[in-house]
Amino acid sequence: MRRITILGSTGSVGESTIDLVNRNRGAYQVVALTAHSNWEKLATQAKSLRPEMVALADRGGYASLKAALAGTGIAIEAGDEAICEAARRDADWVMAAIVGAAGLKPTLAAVERGATVALANKECLVSAGDIFMAAVARHNATLLPVDSEHNAIFQVFDFDQRAKVTKIILTASGGPFRSLPMADMRGVTPAQAVAHPNWSMGAKISVDSATMMNKGLEVIEAHHLFRMTPAQIEVLVHPQSVIHSMVEYADGSVLAQLGTPDMRTPIAYTLGWPKRLDAPTARLDLAKLGSLTFEAPDLTRFPALRLAQEALVAGGAAPTILNAANEVAVARFLAGEIGFLEIAAIVEHTLARVAGRRIASLEDILAVDEEARIVARNVPQRVAAGNAAQTIGAGNAAQATAAGSAAQKTAAE
Ligand code: NAD
Ligand code: MG
């Protein structure tokens, strides 16, 4: 029996993990399940999976959770420290599926035990990549990437011949607004932004996919996981989300991992690793699909991707600031406080305001993260809107140029 813990069990990745566990109950003993505030869902999961412990970050739900699980013998704890406590319990395999930098300390707690960590939480690598990877090495932990692109690369990356890997190619769907007229981007609603064309995911990552900040975060994630330089990490828009990513070798070979867009495939890969499990996902039917298409990302339309790539090159505190500002900006957008284009504008503004901070420890990271959050929370909507207008202006100009050259081409033909 494999002893497993799921951090963030009530989320999209958490529930997909539980779905796989339920299909082979006899193989797993659940050690701990954790959630932010949804005590009802956590109680339902606990009654079915019978973990040794459950932890709820939000203390407000503690009494209700305790009442719901009375008589089960399951240990119940609440508060941020309780989530770390859950991660410290002796599970062999830990799914790190908390969203945001909130996942950093609990995931590190699992790493520090030398556990096998299935890493879905990309924000902890973006915010604290060097420190996180140093902890993985120091404690001899095993890191298995869950993010579909990184899982794809992990499956085809020849770690014994890493010098022969020339680049990695991260594919991106381009999200729901890949070809929306630039002027319409301003009025995009949270409901439209979370409706991803291919993947069903939590709200934060869905908005990140719509701004393409998600791909930017993934570029930084890939840099840490595979030790590739920024120049070796290419982003390729592939709207069908069938090729999940690729690795190019010195001999010109390009290896890819393909599949239907269902997170249960990469999760199953990490849950069974080093063996493969069965997963109940739809099978790929390429003949039915007919064609796969590709295009270069449009950095004018998606300034968030550019900001993330620049933050990786800048290094130091920049990725920490980028991540914290983005978390705040996405929350402000989802709360209806700012417009869609203002998300990247707030991130850019925060990066400029919180500059030159040194990072040498986890405490430095947490301090910079906090400072960036305060700045991002207080960027007035008016300032963000002004910056966002420049994005639309640049986008319109680019569209006009493209339309102009298309017209010229047609005239010439
Ligand atoms: P989600 O919003 O659906 O779930 C997040 C989980 O984290 C929930 O269980 C929630 O209760 C918990 N949580 C949130 N804030 C918390 C806090 N402050 N303290 C403790 N727990 C907290 O998110 P998701 O879509 O499942 O994504 C989880 C992570 O996996 C993210 O980092 C995301 O980028 C990454 N990821 C997700 C997908 C996907 O398909 N959903 C794909 C690739 C990577
Ligand atoms: Mg991904």
Side-chain angles (χ1 to χ4, degrees), residues 117-131:
V117 176
L119 187 70
N121 177 287
K122 64 191 86 189
E123 293 90 348
C124 68
L125 272 184
V126 174
S127 186
D130 291 336
I131 283 165

Side-chain angles (χ1 to χ4, degrees), residues 321 348-355 357 371 375 378-379:
I321 300 165
E348 186 154 30
H349 180 90
T350 309
L351 278 162
R353 283 279 301 280
V354 190
R357 303 292 184 277
E371 190 183 351
V375 171
N378 292 308
V379 180

Side-chain angles (χ1 to χ4, degrees), residues 190-215:
Q192 290 171 313
V194 298
H196 195 279
N198 305 339
W199 298 93
S200 153
M201 312 183 284
K204 194 262 178 181
I205 183 176
S206 297
V207 175
D208 284 348
S209 297
T211 61
M212 284 196 79
M213 177 59 89
N214 182 50
K215 211 48 54 180

